[in-house]
Structures are given as structure tokens and as C-alpha cells.
């Protein structure tokens, strides 16, 4: 049974999953990891989700205010043992729902071009590729997406 818990970035399970995410990204991003890591600090994230399977934390995600109508999806991760079970989609949909409840109309996100599974997840969930925004503008290793009118 999959349970999603809304929490914040001080949650111990969320912090542990983010450590696993950062270790994974340090390998896949290689030399680019330090650049991306500077934009992923936890102290400014107030809305996080942790997914549990049989009381074990296995996945996470977060939303962070970008502007008055937009949130940025951050820190999406599913542990290796829990992949392929639809958990990431459940997290993404719950983050969109939470964003809507908070009055936001649009979700944006950035992922690396080497994150093939992540890109597939976002496309499958009707995210459209957009020009790289903010700190990712001009970064060839980044790909950005948006979804408007989240519900």
C-alpha cells in the first residue's frame, strides 16, 4: 500500500531520500552536479511529499513558489527498489493538487538531459517542454517543462 504524507523540508524521511537523490545525481550529472546542486537547497522548501510503502519511505517530491501563479517542482526521487510501480506519478499528481489548493495555476520544473526516466515521467503526465527559465537559461544539459491549469 502506498501512502503519501504532506510535510516540509525538515522531515527526516524527506531529508534521507534527498541524500539518496543527491548521491544518484552526483553520478549521473558528473562534473555538472555542483552547478545544479546550488539550486537545490532545502531550507526554502515548505511543501514536500514523502511516499511510503508499508511504512518505509521510498520516494519524495516538493513544490516551491516561483512567482504569484507558479510553483516549481523540486527534489523528485524514487528509490531504486520502488521504481516502476507508478509512485512518481502519484507524487507528481499530489504535488499538482497541492499547488492548486494553494492557488497556483502552473507548475514548472527542470531536469537534466541525462535523466531519461524523469523526462518520460513528465511527458507522460502532460508536461510540455519550454525554454529553459531562470538560472537554467542557456544551460545545454538542462531541459525545462511546464503544466498549466493544474488541478
Amino acid at each position: 500500500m502506498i501512502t503519501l504524507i504532506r510535510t516540509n523540508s525538515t522531515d527526516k524521511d524527506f531529508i534521507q531520500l534527498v541524500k539518496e537523490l543527491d548521491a544518484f545525481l552526483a553520478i549521473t550529472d558528473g562534473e555538472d552536479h555542483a552547478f545544479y546542486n546550488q539550486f537545490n537547497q532545502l531550507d526554502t522548501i515548505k511543501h514536500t511529499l514523502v511516499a511510503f510503502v508499508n511504512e518505509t519511505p521510498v520516494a519524495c517530491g516538493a513544490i516551491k513558489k516561483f512567482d504569484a501563479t507558479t510553483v516549481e517542482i523540486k527534489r523528485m526521487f524514487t528509490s531504486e527498489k520502488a521504481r516502476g510501480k507508478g509512485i512518481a506519478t502519484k507524487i507528481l499528481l499530489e504535488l499538482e493538487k497541492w499547488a492548486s489548493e494553494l492557488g497556483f495555476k502552473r507548475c514548472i520544473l527542470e531536469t537534466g538531459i541525462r535523466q531519461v526516466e524523469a523526462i518520460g515521467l513528465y511527458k507522460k503526465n502532460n508536461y510540455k517542454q519550454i525554454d529553459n527559465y531562470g538560472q537554467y537559461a542557456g544551460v545545454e544539459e538542462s531541459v525545462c517543462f511546464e503544466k498549466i491549469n493544474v488541478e
Side-chain angles (χ1 to χ4, degrees), residues 94-130:
E94 183 66 18
L95 289 172
E96 291 172 8
K97 179 181 174 189
W98 200 358
S100 179
E101 289 170 8
L102 293 168
F104 295 99
K105 304 293 182 207
R106 176 177 173 240
C107 291
I108 59 172
L109 62 90
E110 178 276 341
T111 192
I113 59 172
R114 296 179 194 98
Q115 310 306 325
V116 177
E117 294 86 357
I119 291 169
L121 169 73
Y122 301 128
K123 287 182 176 180
K124 179 178 85 173
N125 284 282
N126 301 312
Y127 279 74
K128 305 297 180 211
Q129 189 170 342
I130 59 173

PDB file of all heavy atoms in Angstrom, residues 94-130:
ATOM      1  N   GLU A  94      -0.133  14.492  -6.807  1.00  0.00           N
ATOM      2  CA  GLU A  94      -0.451  15.070  -5.496  1.00  0.00           C
ATOM      3  C   GLU A  94       0.191  16.445  -5.343  1.00  0.00           C
ATOM      4  O   GLU A  94      -0.413  17.358  -4.771  1.00  0.00           O
ATOM      5  CB  GLU A  94       0.012  14.130  -4.374  1.00  0.00           C
ATOM      6  CG  GLU A  94      -0.335  14.621  -2.978  1.00  0.00           C
ATOM      7  CD  GLU A  94      -1.832  14.679  -2.679  1.00  0.00           C
ATOM      8  OE1 GLU A  94      -2.641  14.039  -3.381  1.00  0.00           O
ATOM      9  OE2 GLU A  94      -2.197  15.381  -1.707  1.00  0.00           O
ATOM     10  N   LEU A  95       1.400  16.637  -5.879  1.00  0.00           N
ATOM     11  CA  LEU A  95       2.038  17.960  -5.845  1.00  0.00           C
ATOM     12  C   LEU A  95       1.218  18.965  -6.654  1.00  0.00           C
ATOM     13  O   LEU A  95       1.032  20.110  -6.230  1.00  0.00           O
ATOM     14  CB  LEU A  95       3.473  17.892  -6.357  1.00  0.00           C
ATOM     15  CG  LEU A  95       4.479  17.194  -5.447  1.00  0.00           C
ATOM     16  CD1 LEU A  95       5.813  17.025  -6.173  1.00  0.00           C
ATOM     17  CD2 LEU A  95       4.661  17.944  -4.129  1.00  0.00           C
ATOM     18  N   GLU A  96       0.721  18.537  -7.804  1.00  0.00           N
ATOM     19  CA  GLU A  96      -0.125  19.416  -8.623  1.00  0.00           C
ATOM     20  C   GLU A  96      -1.402  19.785  -7.862  1.00  0.00           C
ATOM     21  O   GLU A  96      -1.830  20.944  -7.872  1.00  0.00           O
ATOM     22  CB  GLU A  96      -0.496  18.728  -9.934  1.00  0.00           C
ATOM     23  CG  GLU A  96       0.664  18.555 -10.885  1.00  0.00           C
ATOM     24  CD  GLU A  96       0.305  17.702 -12.084  1.00  0.00           C
ATOM     25  OE1 GLU A  96      -0.887  17.361 -12.279  1.00  0.00           O
ATOM     26  OE2 GLU A  96       1.227  17.364 -12.845  1.00  0.00           O
ATOM     27  N   LYS A  97      -2.010  18.808  -7.215  1.00  0.00           N
ATOM     28  CA  LYS A  97      -3.217  19.052  -6.436  1.00  0.00           C
ATOM     29  C   LYS A  97      -2.925  20.052  -5.311  1.00  0.00           C
ATOM     30  O   LYS A  97      -3.703  20.995  -5.085  1.00  0.00           O
ATOM     31  CB  LYS A  97      -3.730  17.728  -5.857  1.00  0.00           C
ATOM     32  CG  LYS A  97      -4.968  17.863  -5.006  1.00  0.00           C
ATOM     33  CD  LYS A  97      -5.373  16.496  -4.461  1.00  0.00           C
ATOM     34  CE  LYS A  97      -6.527  16.648  -3.485  1.00  0.00           C
ATOM     35  NZ  LYS A  97      -6.809  15.396  -2.785  1.00  0.00           N
ATOM     36  N   TRP A  98      -1.833  19.860  -4.622  1.00  0.00           N
ATOM     37  CA  TRP A  98      -1.453  20.741  -3.525  1.00  0.00           C
ATOM     38  C   TRP A  98      -1.220  22.156  -4.042  1.00  0.00           C
ATOM     39  O   TRP A  98      -1.670  23.132  -3.445  1.00  0.00           O
ATOM     40  CB  TRP A  98      -0.221  20.184  -2.841  1.00  0.00           C
ATOM     41  CG  TRP A  98       0.049  20.657  -1.447  1.00  0.00           C
ATOM     42  CD1 TRP A  98      -0.671  21.568  -0.722  1.00  0.00           C
ATOM     43  CD2 TRP A  98       1.118  20.233  -0.606  1.00  0.00           C
ATOM     44  NE1 TRP A  98      -0.102  21.735   0.517  1.00  0.00           N
ATOM     45  CE2 TRP A  98       0.998  20.926   0.616  1.00  0.00           C
ATOM     46  CE3 TRP A  98       2.167  19.339  -0.766  1.00  0.00           C
ATOM     47  CZ2 TRP A  98       1.899  20.751   1.670  1.00  0.00           C
ATOM     48  CZ3 TRP A  98       3.062  19.155   0.280  1.00  0.00           C
ATOM     49  CH2 TRP A  98       2.921  19.861   1.483  1.00  0.00           C
ATOM     50  N   ALA A  99      -0.527  22.265  -5.181  1.00  0.00           N
ATOM     51  CA  ALA A  99      -0.286  23.578  -5.789  1.00  0.00           C
ATOM     52  C   ALA A  99      -1.609  24.277  -6.096  1.00  0.00           C
ATOM     53  O   ALA A  99      -1.775  25.468  -5.817  1.00  0.00           O
ATOM     54  CB  ALA A  99       0.552  23.431  -7.060  1.00  0.00           C
ATOM     55  N   SER A 100      -2.557  23.542  -6.647  1.00  0.00           N
ATOM     56  CA  SER A 100      -3.871  24.101  -6.957  1.00  0.00           C
ATOM     57  C   SER A 100      -4.583  24.561  -5.691  1.00  0.00           C
ATOM     58  O   SER A 100      -5.171  25.643  -5.648  1.00  0.00           O
ATOM     59  CB  SER A 100      -4.705  23.061  -7.704  1.00  0.00           C
ATOM     60  OG  SER A 100      -5.978  23.567  -7.992  1.00  0.00           O
ATOM     61  N   GLU A 101      -4.531  23.749  -4.642  1.00  0.00           N
ATOM     62  CA  GLU A 101      -5.150  24.116  -3.366  1.00  0.00           C
ATOM     63  C   GLU A 101      -4.554  25.413  -2.814  1.00  0.00           C
ATOM     64  O   GLU A 101      -5.243  26.181  -2.146  1.00  0.00           O
ATOM     65  CB  GLU A 101      -4.957  22.996  -2.339  1.00  0.00           C
ATOM     66  CG  GLU A 101      -5.765  21.760  -2.625  1.00  0.00           C
ATOM     67  CD  GLU A 101      -5.383  20.581  -1.734  1.00  0.00           C
ATOM     68  OE1 GLU A 101      -4.591  20.761  -0.775  1.00  0.00           O
ATOM     69  OE2 GLU A 101      -5.855  19.470  -2.003  1.00  0.00           O
ATOM     70  N   LEU A 102      -3.274  25.643  -3.087  1.00  0.00           N
ATOM     71  CA  LEU A 102      -2.589  26.852  -2.625  1.00  0.00           C
ATOM     72  C   LEU A 102      -2.826  28.045  -3.551  1.00  0.00           C
ATOM     73  O   LEU A 102      -2.319  29.134  -3.301  1.00  0.00           O
ATOM     74  CB  LEU A 102      -1.088  26.581  -2.492  1.00  0.00           C
ATOM     75  CG  LEU A 102      -0.689  25.588  -1.394  1.00  0.00           C
ATOM     76  CD1 LEU A 102       0.770  25.183  -1.538  1.00  0.00           C
ATOM     77  CD2 LEU A 102      -0.971  26.169  -0.019  1.00  0.00           C
ATOM     78  N   GLY A 103      -3.572  27.828  -4.652  1.00  0.00           N
ATOM     79  CA  GLY A 103      -3.932  28.917  -5.556  1.00  0.00           C
ATOM     80  C   GLY A 103      -3.018  29.097  -6.749  1.00  0.00           C
ATOM     81  O   GLY A 103      -3.161  30.069  -7.499  1.00  0.00           O
ATOM     82  N   PHE A 104      -2.108  28.174  -6.972  1.00  0.00           N
ATOM     83  CA  PHE A 104      -1.205  28.278  -8.123  1.00  0.00           C
ATOM     84  C   PHE A 104      -1.854  27.657  -9.355  1.00  0.00           C
ATOM     85  O   PHE A 104      -2.646  26.725  -9.255  1.00  0.00           O
ATOM     86  CB  PHE A 104       0.132  27.604  -7.814  1.00  0.00           C
ATOM     87  CG  PHE A 104       0.896  28.291  -6.721  1.00  0.00           C
ATOM     88  CD1 PHE A 104       0.867  27.817  -5.420  1.00  0.00           C
ATOM     89  CD2 PHE A 104       1.626  29.439  -6.988  1.00  0.00           C
ATOM     90  CE1 PHE A 104       1.548  28.465  -4.407  1.00  0.00           C
ATOM     91  CE2 PHE A 104       2.323  30.095  -5.983  1.00  0.00           C
ATOM     92  CZ  PHE A 104       2.279  29.605  -4.689  1.00  0.00           C
ATOM     93  N   LYS A 105      -1.514  28.181 -10.528  1.00  0.00           N
ATOM     94  CA  LYS A 105      -2.125  27.746 -11.783  1.00  0.00           C
ATOM     95  C   LYS A 105      -1.152  27.016 -12.701  1.00  0.00           C
ATOM     96  O   LYS A 105      -1.564  26.468 -13.726  1.00  0.00           O
ATOM     97  CB  LYS A 105      -2.670  28.969 -12.552  1.00  0.00           C
ATOM     98  CG  LYS A 105      -3.640  29.809 -11.759  1.00  0.00           C
ATOM     99  CD  LYS A 105      -4.902  29.053 -11.488  1.00  0.00           C
ATOM    100  CE  LYS A 105      -5.894  29.909 -10.722  1.00  0.00           C
ATOM    101  NZ  LYS A 105      -6.798  29.127  -9.926  1.00  0.00           N
ATOM    102  N   ARG A 106       0.130  27.021 -12.351  1.00  0.00           N
ATOM    103  CA  ARG A 106       1.139  26.497 -13.274  1.00  0.00           C
ATOM    104  C   ARG A 106       2.259  25.840 -12.479  1.00  0.00           C
ATOM    105  O   ARG A 106       2.672  26.345 -11.438  1.00  0.00           O
ATOM    106  CB  ARG A 106       1.680  27.658 -14.095  1.00  0.00           C
ATOM    107  CG  ARG A 106       2.793  27.362 -15.042  1.00  0.00           C
ATOM    108  CD  ARG A 106       3.140  28.652 -15.818  1.00  0.00           C
ATOM    109  NE  ARG A 106       4.309  28.497 -16.639  1.00  0.00           N
ATOM    110  CZ  ARG A 106       5.420  29.215 -16.528  1.00  0.00           C
ATOM    111  NH1 ARG A 106       5.514  30.180 -15.632  1.00  0.00           N
ATOM    112  NH2 ARG A 106       6.431  29.009 -17.329  1.00  0.00           N
ATOM    113  N   CYS A 107       2.741  24.712 -12.996  1.00  0.00           N
ATOM    114  CA  CYS A 107       3.921  24.052 -12.439  1.00  0.00           C
ATOM    115  C   CYS A 107       5.021  24.079 -13.489  1.00  0.00           C
ATOM    116  O   CYS A 107       4.752  23.840 -14.679  1.00  0.00           O
ATOM    117  CB  CYS A 107       3.639  22.593 -12.093  1.00  0.00           C
ATOM    118  SG  CYS A 107       2.513  22.339 -10.715  1.00  0.00           S
ATOM    119  N   ILE A 108       6.236  24.393 -13.058  1.00  0.00           N
ATOM    120  CA  ILE A 108       7.397  24.316 -13.927  1.00  0.00           C
ATOM    121  C   ILE A 108       8.433  23.427 -13.251  1.00  0.00           C
ATOM    122  O   ILE A 108       8.368  23.194 -12.037  1.00  0.00           O
ATOM    123  CB  ILE A 108       8.003  25.710 -14.238  1.00  0.00           C
ATOM    124  CG1 ILE A 108       8.425  26.417 -12.950  1.00  0.00           C
ATOM    125  CG2 ILE A 108       7.024  26.557 -15.039  1.00  0.00           C
ATOM    126  CD1 ILE A 108       9.211  27.709 -13.184  1.00  0.00           C
ATOM    127  N   LEU A 109       9.375  22.952 -14.038  1.00  0.00           N
ATOM    128  CA  LEU A 109      10.443  22.143 -13.465  1.00  0.00           C
ATOM    129  C   LEU A 109      11.611  22.074 -14.427  1.00  0.00           C
ATOM    130  O   LEU A 109      11.482  22.344 -15.619  1.00  0.00           O
ATOM    131  CB  LEU A 109       9.945  20.739 -13.134  1.00  0.00           C
ATOM    132  CG  LEU A 109       9.443  19.884 -14.294  1.00  0.00           C
ATOM    133  CD1 LEU A 109      10.554  19.050 -14.912  1.00  0.00           C
ATOM    134  CD2 LEU A 109       8.311  19.007 -13.841  1.00  0.00           C
ATOM    135  N   GLU A 110      12.739  21.707 -13.867  1.00  0.00           N
ATOM    136  CA  GLU A 110      13.951  21.481 -14.644  1.00  0.00           C
ATOM    137  C   GLU A 110      14.452  20.093 -14.311  1.00  0.00           C
ATOM    138  O   GLU A 110      14.371  19.641 -13.170  1.00  0.00           O
ATOM    139  CB  GLU A 110      15.022  22.522 -14.268  1.00  0.00           C
ATOM    140  CG  GLU A 110      16.353  22.348 -14.994  1.00  0.00           C
ATOM    141  CD  GLU A 110      17.306  21.350 -14.375  1.00  0.00           C
ATOM    142  OE1 GLU A 110      17.144  21.010 -13.174  1.00  0.00           O
ATOM    143  OE2 GLU A 110      18.222  20.878 -15.073  1.00  0.00           O
ATOM    144  N   THR A 111      14.961  19.416 -15.321  1.00  0.00           N
ATOM    145  CA  THR A 111      15.662  18.153 -15.111  1.00  0.00           C
ATOM    146  C   THR A 111      16.833  18.114 -16.075  1.00  0.00           C
ATOM    147  O   THR A 111      16.912  18.908 -17.011  1.00  0.00           O
ATOM    148  CB  THR A 111      14.715  16.943 -15.272  1.00  0.00           C
ATOM    149  OG1 THR A 111      15.370  15.769 -14.779  1.00  0.00           O
ATOM    150  CG2 THR A 111      14.277  16.748 -16.715  1.00  0.00           C
ATOM    151  N   GLY A 112      17.727  17.196 -15.832  1.00  0.00           N
ATOM    152  CA  GLY A 112      18.897  17.076 -16.697  1.00  0.00           C
ATOM    153  C   GLY A 112      18.606  16.225 -17.916  1.00  0.00           C
ATOM    154  O   GLY A 112      17.765  15.319 -17.871  1.00  0.00           O
ATOM    155  N   ILE A 113      19.309  16.497 -19.002  1.00  0.00           N
ATOM    156  CA  ILE A 113      19.090  15.723 -20.229  1.00  0.00           C
ATOM    157  C   ILE A 113      19.447  14.250 -20.041  1.00  0.00           C
ATOM    158  O   ILE A 113      18.957  13.400 -20.777  1.00  0.00           O
ATOM    159  CB  ILE A 113      19.857  16.315 -21.434  1.00  0.00           C
ATOM    160  CG1 ILE A 113      21.359  16.358 -21.164  1.00  0.00           C
ATOM    161  CG2 ILE A 113      19.325  17.684 -21.791  1.00  0.00           C
ATOM    162  CD1 ILE A 113      22.202  16.739 -22.376  1.00  0.00           C
ATOM    163  N   ARG A 114      20.270  13.942 -19.034  1.00  0.00           N
ATOM    164  CA  ARG A 114      20.640  12.545 -18.766  1.00  0.00           C
ATOM    165  C   ARG A 114      19.573  11.811 -17.945  1.00  0.00           C
ATOM    166  O   ARG A 114      19.666  10.607 -17.751  1.00  0.00           O
ATOM    167  CB  ARG A 114      21.970  12.493 -18.018  1.00  0.00           C
ATOM    168  CG  ARG A 114      23.136  13.025 -18.813  1.00  0.00           C
ATOM    169  CD  ARG A 114      24.422  12.958 -17.983  1.00  0.00           C
ATOM    170  NE  ARG A 114      25.468  13.749 -18.587  1.00  0.00           N
ATOM    171  CZ  ARG A 114      25.785  14.993 -18.220  1.00  0.00           C
ATOM    172  NH1 ARG A 114      25.121  15.582 -17.246  1.00  0.00           N
ATOM    173  NH2 ARG A 114      26.752  15.645 -18.819  1.00  0.00           N
ATOM    174  N   GLN A 115      18.571  12.527 -17.455  1.00  0.00           N
ATOM    175  CA  GLN A 115      17.518  11.925 -16.618  1.00  0.00           C
ATOM    176  C   GLN A 115      16.378  11.438 -17.508  1.00  0.00           C
ATOM    177  O   GLN A 115      15.260  11.959 -17.480  1.00  0.00           O
ATOM    178  CB  GLN A 115      17.024  12.936 -15.582  1.00  0.00           C
ATOM    179  CG  GLN A 115      18.094  13.622 -14.773  1.00  0.00           C
ATOM    180  CD  GLN A 115      19.048  12.666 -14.086  1.00  0.00           C
ATOM    181  OE1 GLN A 115      18.663  11.594 -13.649  1.00  0.00           O
ATOM    182  NE2 GLN A 115      20.305  13.044 -14.005  1.00  0.00           N
ATOM    183  N   VAL A 116      16.651  10.423 -18.297  1.00  0.00           N
ATOM    184  CA  VAL A 116      15.716   9.933 -19.311  1.00  0.00           C
ATOM    185  C   VAL A 116      14.391   9.497 -18.687  1.00  0.00           C
ATOM    186  O   VAL A 116      13.315   9.795 -19.217  1.00  0.00           O
ATOM    187  CB  VAL A 116      16.362   8.784 -20.107  1.00  0.00           C
ATOM    188  CG1 VAL A 116      15.393   8.202 -21.127  1.00  0.00           C
ATOM    189  CG2 VAL A 116      17.636   9.267 -20.786  1.00  0.00           C
ATOM    190  N   GLU A 117      14.451   8.800 -17.546  1.00  0.00           N
ATOM    191  CA  GLU A 117      13.224   8.336 -16.899  1.00  0.00           C
ATOM    192  C   GLU A 117      12.378   9.522 -16.426  1.00  0.00           C
ATOM    193  O   GLU A 117      11.155   9.508 -16.543  1.00  0.00           O
ATOM    194  CB  GLU A 117      13.547   7.414 -15.718  1.00  0.00           C
ATOM    195  CG  GLU A 117      14.199   6.112 -16.118  1.00  0.00           C
ATOM    196  CD  GLU A 117      15.722   6.191 -16.250  1.00  0.00           C
ATOM    197  OE1 GLU A 117      16.298   7.304 -16.086  1.00  0.00           O
ATOM    198  OE2 GLU A 117      16.335   5.156 -16.534  1.00  0.00           O
ATOM    199  N   ALA A 118      13.035  10.541 -15.892  1.00  0.00           N
ATOM    200  CA  ALA A 118      12.309  11.723 -15.424  1.00  0.00           C
ATOM    201  C   ALA A 118      11.632  12.433 -16.588  1.00  0.00           C
ATOM    202  O   ALA A 118      10.454  12.816 -16.496  1.00  0.00           O
ATOM    203  CB  ALA A 118      13.257  12.672 -14.695  1.00  0.00           C
ATOM    204  N   ILE A 119      12.342  12.592 -17.670  1.00  0.00           N
ATOM    205  CA  ILE A 119      11.758  13.242 -18.851  1.00  0.00           C
ATOM    206  C   ILE A 119      10.535  12.467 -19.316  1.00  0.00           C
ATOM    207  O   ILE A 119       9.485  13.047 -19.620  1.00  0.00           O
ATOM    208  CB  ILE A 119      12.815  13.375 -19.969  1.00  0.00           C
ATOM    209  CG1 ILE A 119      13.886  14.395 -19.539  1.00  0.00           C
ATOM    210  CG2 ILE A 119      12.170  13.774 -21.293  1.00  0.00           C
ATOM    211  CD1 ILE A 119      15.118  14.427 -20.429  1.00  0.00           C
ATOM    212  N   GLY A 120      10.628  11.152 -19.332  1.00  0.00           N
ATOM    213  CA  GLY A 120       9.496  10.316 -19.716  1.00  0.00           C
ATOM    214  C   GLY A 120       8.315  10.488 -18.769  1.00  0.00           C
ATOM    215  O   GLY A 120       7.161  10.561 -19.209  1.00  0.00           O
ATOM    216  N   LEU A 121       8.591  10.572 -17.477  1.00  0.00           N
ATOM    217  CA  LEU A 121       7.540  10.780 -16.478  1.00  0.00           C
ATOM    218  C   LEU A 121       6.787  12.078 -16.744  1.00  0.00           C
ATOM    219  O   LEU A 121       5.552  12.096 -16.752  1.00  0.00           O
ATOM    220  CB  LEU A 121       8.152  10.814 -15.074  1.00  0.00           C
ATOM    221  CG  LEU A 121       7.223  11.285 -13.956  1.00  0.00           C
ATOM    222  CD1 LEU A 121       6.180  10.218 -13.635  1.00  0.00           C
ATOM    223  CD2 LEU A 121       8.037  11.638 -12.710  1.00  0.00           C
ATOM    224  N   TYR A 122       7.521  13.150 -16.963  1.00  0.00           N
ATOM    225  CA  TYR A 122       6.871  14.447 -17.148  1.00  0.00           C
ATOM    226  C   TYR A 122       6.070  14.486 -18.450  1.00  0.00           C
ATOM    227  O   TYR A 122       4.938  14.972 -18.468  1.00  0.00           O
ATOM    228  CB  TYR A 122       7.899  15.576 -17.072  1.00  0.00           C
ATOM    229  CG  TYR A 122       8.626  15.572 -15.746  1.00  0.00           C
ATOM    230  CD1 TYR A 122      10.000  15.586 -15.676  1.00  0.00           C
ATOM    231  CD2 TYR A 122       7.912  15.499 -14.543  1.00  0.00           C
ATOM    232  CE1 TYR A 122      10.659  15.554 -14.455  1.00  0.00           C
ATOM    233  CE2 TYR A 122       8.558  15.466 -13.322  1.00  0.00           C
ATOM    234  CZ  TYR A 122       9.931  15.490 -13.286  1.00  0.00           C
ATOM    235  OH  TYR A 122      10.575  15.447 -12.068  1.00  0.00           O
ATOM    236  N   LYS A 123       6.622  13.940 -19.512  1.00  0.00           N
ATOM    237  CA  LYS A 123       5.879  13.906 -20.776  1.00  0.00           C
ATOM    238  C   LYS A 123       4.610  13.072 -20.644  1.00  0.00           C
ATOM    239  O   LYS A 123       3.553  13.448 -21.144  1.00  0.00           O
ATOM    240  CB  LYS A 123       6.767  13.370 -21.904  1.00  0.00           C
ATOM    241  CG  LYS A 123       7.816  14.365 -22.343  1.00  0.00           C
ATOM    242  CD  LYS A 123       8.652  13.809 -23.490  1.00  0.00           C
ATOM    243  CE  LYS A 123       9.641  14.846 -23.998  1.00  0.00           C
ATOM    244  NZ  LYS A 123      10.449  14.323 -25.116  1.00  0.00           N
ATOM    245  N   LYS A 124       4.711  11.939 -19.964  1.00  0.00           N
ATOM    246  CA  LYS A 124       3.556  11.057 -19.763  1.00  0.00           C
ATOM    247  C   LYS A 124       2.452  11.767 -18.981  1.00  0.00           C
ATOM    248  O   LYS A 124       1.266  11.474 -19.157  1.00  0.00           O
ATOM    249  CB  LYS A 124       4.008   9.789 -19.016  1.00  0.00           C
ATOM    250  CG  LYS A 124       2.901   8.791 -18.729  1.00  0.00           C
ATOM    251  CD  LYS A 124       3.447   7.565 -18.048  1.00  0.00           C
ATOM    252  CE  LYS A 124       3.510   7.823 -16.558  1.00  0.00           C
ATOM    253  NZ  LYS A 124       3.860   6.651 -15.757  1.00  0.00           N
ATOM    254  N   ASN A 125       2.840  12.718 -18.139  1.00  0.00           N
ATOM    255  CA  ASN A 125       1.877  13.439 -17.314  1.00  0.00           C
ATOM    256  C   ASN A 125       1.542  14.818 -17.869  1.00  0.00           C
ATOM    257  O   ASN A 125       1.161  15.726 -17.129  1.00  0.00           O
ATOM    258  CB  ASN A 125       2.389  13.520 -15.876  1.00  0.00           C
ATOM    259  CG  ASN A 125       2.215  12.205 -15.161  1.00  0.00           C
ATOM    260  OD1 ASN A 125       1.112  11.871 -14.737  1.00  0.00           O
ATOM    261  ND2 ASN A 125       3.279  11.425 -15.070  1.00  0.00           N
ATOM    262  N   ASN A 126       1.675  14.954 -19.190  1.00  0.00           N
ATOM    263  CA  ASN A 126       1.234  16.144 -19.933  1.00  0.00           C
ATOM    264  C   ASN A 126       2.016  17.419 -19.645  1.00  0.00           C
ATOM    265  O   ASN A 126       1.482  18.518 -19.754  1.00  0.00           O
ATOM    266  CB  ASN A 126      -0.272  16.383 -19.729  1.00  0.00           C
ATOM    267  CG  ASN A 126      -1.083  15.198 -20.195  1.00  0.00           C
ATOM    268  OD1 ASN A 126      -0.869  14.694 -21.291  1.00  0.00           O
ATOM    269  ND2 ASN A 126      -1.991  14.730 -19.358  1.00  0.00           N
ATOM    270  N   TYR A 127       3.267  17.275 -19.285  1.00  0.00           N
ATOM    271  CA  TYR A 127       4.147  18.439 -19.187  1.00  0.00           C
ATOM    272  C   TYR A 127       4.704  18.717 -20.575  1.00  0.00           C
ATOM    273  O   TYR A 127       5.039  17.792 -21.314  1.00  0.00           O
ATOM    274  CB  TYR A 127       5.282  18.187 -18.181  1.00  0.00           C
ATOM    275  CG  TYR A 127       4.823  18.400 -16.762  1.00  0.00           C
ATOM    276  CD1 TYR A 127       4.003  17.467 -16.135  1.00  0.00           C
ATOM    277  CD2 TYR A 127       5.166  19.548 -16.066  1.00  0.00           C
ATOM    278  CE1 TYR A 127       3.555  17.665 -14.842  1.00  0.00           C
ATOM    279  CE2 TYR A 127       4.723  19.756 -14.771  1.00  0.00           C
ATOM    280  CZ  TYR A 127       3.916  18.817 -14.167  1.00  0.00           C
ATOM    281  OH  TYR A 127       3.467  19.025 -12.888  1.00  0.00           O
ATOM    282  N   LYS A 128       4.770  19.986 -20.911  1.00  0.00           N
ATOM    283  CA  LYS A 128       5.268  20.417 -22.214  1.00  0.00           C
ATOM    284  C   LYS A 128       6.636  21.061 -22.035  1.00  0.00           C
ATOM    285  O   LYS A 128       6.836  21.866 -21.117  1.00  0.00           O
ATOM    286  CB  LYS A 128       4.313  21.436 -22.857  1.00  0.00           C
ATOM    287  CG  LYS A 128       2.886  20.946 -22.985  1.00  0.00           C
ATOM    288  CD  LYS A 128       2.765  19.747 -23.886  1.00  0.00           C
ATOM    289  CE  LYS A 128       1.314  19.296 -23.990  1.00  0.00           C
ATOM    290  NZ  LYS A 128       1.171  17.881 -24.200  1.00  0.00           N
ATOM    291  N   GLN A 129       7.542  20.721 -22.936  1.00  0.00           N
ATOM    292  CA  GLN A 129       8.875  21.313 -22.863  1.00  0.00           C
ATOM    293  C   GLN A 129       8.792  22.807 -23.171  1.00  0.00           C
ATOM    294  O   GLN A 129       8.060  23.222 -24.079  1.00  0.00           O
ATOM    295  CB  GLN A 129       9.825  20.620 -23.834  1.00  0.00           C
ATOM    296  CG  GLN A 129      11.257  21.061 -23.638  1.00  0.00           C
ATOM    297  CD  GLN A 129      12.246  20.225 -24.428  1.00  0.00           C
ATOM    298  OE1 GLN A 129      11.932  19.119 -24.876  1.00  0.00           O
ATOM    299  NE2 GLN A 129      13.443  20.736 -24.587  1.00  0.00           N
ATOM    300  N   ILE A 130       9.522  23.605 -22.395  1.00  0.00           N
ATOM    301  CA  ILE A 130       9.567  25.059 -22.568  1.00  0.00           C
ATOM    302  C   ILE A 130      11.028  25.494 -22.649  1.00  0.00           C
ATOM    303  O   ILE A 130      11.942  24.711 -22.376  1.00  0.00           O
ATOM    304  CB  ILE A 130       8.862  25.790 -21.390  1.00  0.00           C
ATOM    305  CG1 ILE A 130       9.516  25.430 -20.050  1.00  0.00           C
ATOM    306  CG2 ILE A 130       7.371  25.493 -21.394  1.00  0.00           C
ATOM    307  CD1 ILE A 130       9.014  26.232 -18.852  1.00  0.00           C
TER     308      ILE A 130
END
